[in-house]
Amino acid sequence: MKTTTILGAVALAAVMTTGAMAETFKPAVVYDFGGRNDRSFNEAAYKGALQFEERTGIKFRDFEIQNPSQREQALRNFARRGLDPIITIGFAQAAALEKVAKEFPDTHFAIVDSVVDLPNVRSIVFKEGEGSFLVGLLAAMSTESDTIGFVGGMDIPLIRKFACGYKQGAKYAKPDIEIIENMTGTTGAAWTDPLKGGELARSQFARGADVVFHAAGLTGTGVLQAAADEGKLGIGVDSNQNHLHPGSVLTSMIKAVDVAVDKTLTDAKEGKWTSGVEVLGLAENGVSWSYDEYNKPLITAEMQSAVEQAKMDIISGKVEVHDYMVDSTCPF
Amino acid sequence: MSKGQLPRWVDYGVLPALNLLAAFIISGLVVVVIGEDPFEAVKWLVWGALGYGEGIGYTLYYATNFIFTGLAVAVAFHAGLFNIGGEGQAYVGGLGIALVCLAMDRFVPWWVTFPFAIIGGAVFGAAWAFIPGYLQAKRGSHIVITTIMFNFIASALMVYLLSNILIPQGTMSPSSRNFEAGGQLPLLRNVFTSFDFGQSPVNLAFFLALAVCVVVWLLIWHTKLGYEIRSFGANPDAAAYAGISPVRITVVTMLISGALAGLMGINVVMGEQTRLLLDFAGGAGFVGIAVALMGRGHPIGIILASMLFGLLYQGGAELAFEIPTISRDMIVVIQALVILFAGALEHMFRPAVVAFFDRFSSSTAEA
């Protein structure tokens, strides 16, 4: 029984890709808490959809949820009105998507940052650990006090993925380096509190750190500001934040959510939709470190060659970055 | 009727309606300023909340949350205590409910789990309110401060539990596993199949909320304890002089208040999400304050105020969905205006209405 429904759904999905999708292509995006303008994760998704709109002229609908019950409601509202594909942003949407995607087997769904195993869902996850490994390595190579810091938004698995890769990369470069780790808060405000981010960064500087990496959304702008004020170094996250404080941002761990959203919409439009899990790491350019005119003076030739070497080693499998999700622990 | 007083139907009916009207007129002006048609906006707001079965279902679902938290605030209010910790108490109450469901859902049907879940939610919620209540009674630490602080402690505790202990291995989202059928409250759409509730999550917790309203009404106005609570709230010194123990009343009232807030999780955790998840209370604890104020601390008023806020929540979501230029922040503005006019400015129209009725009643007396 179960296999037949799944087979049916696959068949329907296949028909959909070739047929109905071409005539009326109406994409939609559902953001999580934080919303379209959070200067971080959700905004990256918005930018990706915007890039698609500018290139193709196809308008997209979007919705910002306000409470947990609206996740399901927004997905269902879009699906009912025939919007297709529908992209949901954030791991918190997984449970809602699982319900709604089953109700609308003909509609194409995608989710960023989580895996939903259904025949009409594309799941996009990133290897945040790999990108964080590289910036950790750079932090370890540029610190003079052999102490570096990490400021996370909330103590949840996603942020531990960042922290674990960062620690591994730092210890790869300097095995006896000290890493100070702080989380901002326990409510949604943890992602939108630059003041507290700045305070945490300053306390880490006081404890001897001279490079701090943040994975805390808008809160992180306070971290980078504090680093610039105190003449220390910050490391940006998600999008390229090097330009925020030129000369004070060592690099940024780029997570290409915008590219992923744009690509998903493009695939759907061109009939190249595939369901299943898409894992984007260094090899796929899903994560990377940023190097541009703003941080050029901070990156020595030695650092650059080391980080590029590490990148190649990770891609080739010579260096294995620990995946926090495998065993929910970080050995570093 | 003496001069300056209003008939009850005016006090409880006409005045709130006037306040509401004023709030909607100002909201309408805001909608005009951002370049949309206010009548169109009202149409979507009302239709989205009451125009079809699923909308009604969502409205009732949100209202259920607000009834629980509204009652919690109201009971504390009767004793002169301002319990701002409904949010944290509901959050921790949800933990109690989830633990019961996780322990029992695989072995027994839902109606066996249900009473234990009610006890779990009430006990955990009450326990969370106990410490602030005790500190207020014994140490004089102000309840407003301690309950707010306990909201933060609750969220810290829940983040820890959800991302370390209750989270199933290898999943990304900080939430517990899904409850099996034995931990799921039946949805009204499956109980009353003749009425089309669409896919809305309104569930049996709605009737629990109504039953709890009756219980609170009996407690506050028809028991000795209720009398003591009201006396203490009206004048603590006189109540103490009459032999009512301030410590006992403060602690007991906070326990009841916390238990009521804790029951909110029945609706969300056991009814809708069927799992414990981060931030499930979603601000309902704070809306409860507005609901209790608007409802004048009376269960009937609280039900009506909850319905209004349920309507604003559900209709607001539909409005933001249908007219994209009206963002969710606009919806918050509209909700805030309702709270402003119905709560803070509730006496604004009173003098005018009193004057009107005085003239009216004197002219009828002459005739």
Side-chain angles (χ1 to χ4, degrees), chain B residues 136-151:
Chain B
Q136 165 81 60
K138 285 281 196 189
R139 295 273 173 275
S141 317
H142 204 285
I143 202 117
V144 169
I145 309 291
T146 45
T147 48
I148 287 181
M149 282 159 64
F150 265 69
N151 286 342

PDB file of all heavy atoms in Angstrom, chain B residues 136-151:
ATOM      1  N   GLN B 136       7.342  36.138  46.789  1.00  0.00           N
ATOM      2  CA  GLN B 136       6.513  37.314  47.033  1.00  0.00           C
ATOM      3  C   GLN B 136       5.933  37.269  48.450  1.00  0.00           C
ATOM      4  O   GLN B 136       5.969  38.248  49.188  1.00  0.00           O
ATOM      5  CB  GLN B 136       5.367  37.362  46.004  1.00  0.00           C
ATOM      6  CG  GLN B 136       4.237  38.320  46.337  1.00  0.00           C
ATOM      7  CD  GLN B 136       4.567  39.748  45.959  1.00  0.00           C
ATOM      8  OE1 GLN B 136       4.821  40.059  44.808  1.00  0.00           O
ATOM      9  NE2 GLN B 136       4.577  40.643  46.946  1.00  0.00           N
ATOM     10  N   ALA B 137       5.418  36.104  48.823  1.00  0.00           N
ATOM     11  CA  ALA B 137       4.726  35.984  50.097  1.00  0.00           C
ATOM     12  C   ALA B 137       5.693  36.089  51.273  1.00  0.00           C
ATOM     13  O   ALA B 137       5.405  36.737  52.270  1.00  0.00           O
ATOM     14  CB  ALA B 137       3.958  34.662  50.140  1.00  0.00           C
ATOM     15  N   LYS B 138       6.837  35.428  51.157  1.00  0.00           N
ATOM     16  CA  LYS B 138       7.742  35.323  52.307  1.00  0.00           C
ATOM     17  C   LYS B 138       8.826  36.384  52.311  1.00  0.00           C
ATOM     18  O   LYS B 138       9.292  36.808  53.356  1.00  0.00           O
ATOM     19  CB  LYS B 138       8.415  33.938  52.294  1.00  0.00           C
ATOM     20  CG  LYS B 138       7.496  32.819  52.741  1.00  0.00           C
ATOM     21  CD  LYS B 138       7.386  32.791  54.253  1.00  0.00           C
ATOM     22  CE  LYS B 138       6.808  31.460  54.708  1.00  0.00           C
ATOM     23  NZ  LYS B 138       6.482  31.474  56.134  1.00  0.00           N
ATOM     24  N   ARG B 139       9.293  36.766  51.125  1.00  0.00           N
ATOM     25  CA  ARG B 139      10.447  37.649  51.046  1.00  0.00           C
ATOM     26  C   ARG B 139      10.126  39.012  50.461  1.00  0.00           C
ATOM     27  O   ARG B 139      10.985  39.876  50.410  1.00  0.00           O
ATOM     28  CB  ARG B 139      11.548  36.992  50.199  1.00  0.00           C
ATOM     29  CG  ARG B 139      12.133  35.730  50.777  1.00  0.00           C
ATOM     30  CD  ARG B 139      13.276  36.045  51.718  1.00  0.00           C
ATOM     31  NE  ARG B 139      13.740  34.847  52.398  1.00  0.00           N
ATOM     32  CZ  ARG B 139      13.206  34.376  53.502  1.00  0.00           C
ATOM     33  NH1 ARG B 139      12.160  34.965  54.048  1.00  0.00           N
ATOM     34  NH2 ARG B 139      13.684  33.284  54.078  1.00  0.00           N
ATOM     35  N   GLY B 140       8.912  39.159  49.956  1.00  0.00           N
ATOM     36  CA  GLY B 140       8.534  40.445  49.385  1.00  0.00           C
ATOM     37  C   GLY B 140       9.197  40.771  48.055  1.00  0.00           C
ATOM     38  O   GLY B 140       9.189  41.909  47.623  1.00  0.00           O
ATOM     39  N   SER B 141       9.779  39.757  47.391  1.00  0.00           N
ATOM     40  CA  SER B 141      10.337  39.998  46.050  1.00  0.00           C
ATOM     41  C   SER B 141       9.167  40.222  45.101  1.00  0.00           C
ATOM     42  O   SER B 141       8.258  39.401  45.054  1.00  0.00           O
ATOM     43  CB  SER B 141      11.126  38.790  45.566  1.00  0.00           C
ATOM     44  OG  SER B 141      11.915  38.286  46.583  1.00  0.00           O
ATOM     45  N   HIS B 142       9.195  41.311  44.371  1.00  0.00           N
ATOM     46  CA  HIS B 142       7.996  41.650  43.610  1.00  0.00           C
ATOM     47  C   HIS B 142       7.707  40.646  42.506  1.00  0.00           C
ATOM     48  O   HIS B 142       8.577  40.278  41.727  1.00  0.00           O
ATOM     49  CB  HIS B 142       8.100  43.052  43.026  1.00  0.00           C
ATOM     50  CG  HIS B 142       6.746  43.633  42.766  1.00  0.00           C
ATOM     51  ND1 HIS B 142       5.978  43.249  41.714  1.00  0.00           N
ATOM     52  CD2 HIS B 142       6.002  44.510  43.473  1.00  0.00           C
ATOM     53  CE1 HIS B 142       4.825  43.880  41.757  1.00  0.00           C
ATOM     54  NE2 HIS B 142       4.822  44.648  42.821  1.00  0.00           N
ATOM     55  N   ILE B 143       6.444  40.244  42.462  1.00  0.00           N
ATOM     56  CA  ILE B 143       6.041  39.160  41.570  1.00  0.00           C
ATOM     57  C   ILE B 143       6.226  39.516  40.097  1.00  0.00           C
ATOM     58  O   ILE B 143       6.503  38.648  39.269  1.00  0.00           O
ATOM     59  CB  ILE B 143       4.583  38.775  41.878  1.00  0.00           C
ATOM     60  CG1 ILE B 143       4.275  37.365  41.417  1.00  0.00           C
ATOM     61  CG2 ILE B 143       3.596  39.730  41.243  1.00  0.00           C
ATOM     62  CD1 ILE B 143       3.922  36.464  42.516  1.00  0.00           C
ATOM     63  N   VAL B 144       6.093  40.799  39.760  1.00  0.00           N
ATOM     64  CA  VAL B 144       6.261  41.205  38.359  1.00  0.00           C
ATOM     65  C   VAL B 144       7.691  40.897  37.909  1.00  0.00           C
ATOM     66  O   VAL B 144       7.918  40.335  36.830  1.00  0.00           O
ATOM     67  CB  VAL B 144       5.950  42.710  38.198  1.00  0.00           C
ATOM     68  CG1 VAL B 144       6.375  43.196  36.826  1.00  0.00           C
ATOM     69  CG2 VAL B 144       4.471  42.958  38.394  1.00  0.00           C
ATOM     70  N   ILE B 145       8.648  41.235  38.767  1.00  0.00           N
ATOM     71  CA  ILE B 145      10.051  41.010  38.421  1.00  0.00           C
ATOM     72  C   ILE B 145      10.353  39.513  38.357  1.00  0.00           C
ATOM     73  O   ILE B 145      10.926  39.015  37.381  1.00  0.00           O
ATOM     74  CB  ILE B 145      10.980  41.657  39.473  1.00  0.00           C
ATOM     75  CG1 ILE B 145      10.582  43.109  39.717  1.00  0.00           C
ATOM     76  CG2 ILE B 145      12.436  41.524  39.069  1.00  0.00           C
ATOM     77  CD1 ILE B 145      10.840  44.020  38.580  1.00  0.00           C
ATOM     78  N   THR B 146       9.943  38.790  39.411  1.00  0.00           N
ATOM     79  CA  THR B 146      10.341  37.375  39.466  1.00  0.00           C
ATOM     80  C   THR B 146       9.676  36.563  38.361  1.00  0.00           C
ATOM     81  O   THR B 146      10.311  35.690  37.776  1.00  0.00           O
ATOM     82  CB  THR B 146       9.993  36.764  40.828  1.00  0.00           C
ATOM     83  OG1 THR B 146       8.676  37.149  41.188  1.00  0.00           O
ATOM     84  CG2 THR B 146      10.961  37.223  41.887  1.00  0.00           C
ATOM     85  N   THR B 147       8.397  36.857  38.045  1.00  0.00           N
ATOM     86  CA  THR B 147       7.758  36.050  36.997  1.00  0.00           C
ATOM     87  C   THR B 147       8.392  36.328  35.638  1.00  0.00           C
ATOM     88  O   THR B 147       8.555  35.417  34.836  1.00  0.00           O
ATOM     89  CB  THR B 147       6.241  36.291  36.932  1.00  0.00           C
ATOM     90  OG1 THR B 147       5.985  37.686  36.926  1.00  0.00           O
ATOM     91  CG2 THR B 147       5.536  35.642  38.103  1.00  0.00           C
ATOM     92  N   ILE B 148       8.770  37.587  35.387  1.00  0.00           N
ATOM     93  CA  ILE B 148       9.455  37.879  34.117  1.00  0.00           C
ATOM     94  C   ILE B 148      10.768  37.100  34.057  1.00  0.00           C
ATOM     95  O   ILE B 148      11.103  36.468  33.047  1.00  0.00           O
ATOM     96  CB  ILE B 148       9.744  39.388  33.968  1.00  0.00           C
ATOM     97  CG1 ILE B 148       8.460  40.136  33.680  1.00  0.00           C
ATOM     98  CG2 ILE B 148      10.730  39.629  32.825  1.00  0.00           C
ATOM     99  CD1 ILE B 148       8.661  41.622  33.493  1.00  0.00           C
ATOM    100  N   MET B 149      11.499  37.118  35.183  1.00  0.00           N
ATOM    101  CA  MET B 149      12.775  36.400  35.181  1.00  0.00           C
ATOM    102  C   MET B 149      12.555  34.905  34.980  1.00  0.00           C
ATOM    103  O   MET B 149      13.340  34.238  34.291  1.00  0.00           O
ATOM    104  CB  MET B 149      13.528  36.673  36.480  1.00  0.00           C
ATOM    105  CG  MET B 149      14.185  38.040  36.460  1.00  0.00           C
ATOM    106  SD  MET B 149      14.582  38.697  38.061  1.00  0.00           S
ATOM    107  CE  MET B 149      15.762  37.572  38.661  1.00  0.00           C
ATOM    108  N   PHE B 150      11.483  34.398  35.554  1.00  0.00           N
ATOM    109  CA  PHE B 150      11.213  32.970  35.383  1.00  0.00           C
ATOM    110  C   PHE B 150      10.838  32.613  33.948  1.00  0.00           C
ATOM    111  O   PHE B 150      11.013  31.468  33.533  1.00  0.00           O
ATOM    112  CB  PHE B 150      10.144  32.503  36.381  1.00  0.00           C
ATOM    113  CG  PHE B 150      10.755  31.933  37.618  1.00  0.00           C
ATOM    114  CD1 PHE B 150      11.429  32.750  38.513  1.00  0.00           C
ATOM    115  CD2 PHE B 150      10.710  30.568  37.867  1.00  0.00           C
ATOM    116  CE1 PHE B 150      12.033  32.220  39.630  1.00  0.00           C
ATOM    117  CE2 PHE B 150      11.316  30.038  38.983  1.00  0.00           C
ATOM    118  CZ  PHE B 150      11.981  30.851  39.875  1.00  0.00           C
ATOM    119  N   ASN B 151      10.326  33.576  33.190  1.00  0.00           N
ATOM    120  CA  ASN B 151      10.099  33.310  31.762  1.00  0.00           C
ATOM    121  C   ASN B 151      11.420  32.981  31.075  1.00  0.00           C
ATOM    122  O   ASN B 151      11.495  32.078  30.240  1.00  0.00           O
ATOM    123  CB  ASN B 151       9.483  34.536  31.081  1.00  0.00           C
ATOM    124  CG  ASN B 151       8.024  34.727  31.445  1.00  0.00           C
ATOM    125  OD1 ASN B 151       7.378  33.792  31.923  1.00  0.00           O
ATOM    126  ND2 ASN B 151       7.513  35.912  31.235  1.00  0.00           N
TER     127      ASN B 151
END
